[in-house]
Amino acid sequence: MSTFAIKVDPLAVDVHVTEDEIEMTLADGRHVSAPLEWFPRLRNASPSERSKWRLIGRGIGVHWPEIDEDISVASLLTAS
């Protein structure tokens, strides 16, 4: 019996931003985080602005419309 590896692109399903970091929950159950220092627009945004995000591309990234910031899951995984 052969086994095929299925490649699944990492997709975000949730985002949480604190005063110090951004954490994305991925569809496969992983939690990926990075310091806000890496994302100056997000770091300088108000808590209200940080809480207003939406998934883009079915979860390939996150967009914050009030501060015009986009962060892709791939860039967060690469930087981690």
Side-chain angles (χ1 to χ4, degrees), residues 8-39:
V8 178
D9 291 328
L11 300 174
V13 294
D14 195 21
V15 177
H16 181 70
V17 183
T18 68
E19 289 295 316
D20 302 314
E21 71 178 7
I22 175 175
E23 180 181 309
M24 287 188 193
T25 301
L26 306 184
D28 63 10
R30 287 182 286 170
H31 297 269
V32 182
S33 62
L36 279 190
E37 287 299 314
W38 295 358
F39 309 101

Side-chain angles (χ1 to χ4, degrees), residues 43-71:
R43 179 195 64 215
N44 295 333
S46 70
S48 175
E49 291 168 326
R50 291 179 189 160
S51 70
K52 295 174 184 164
W53 56 269
R54 66 178 178 87
L55 296 175
I56 53 176
R58 295 185 177 160
I60 64 167
V62 181
H63 175 69
W64 286 265
E66 291 188 13
I67 59 171
D68 194 28
E69 177 73 299
D70 297 305
I71 299 175

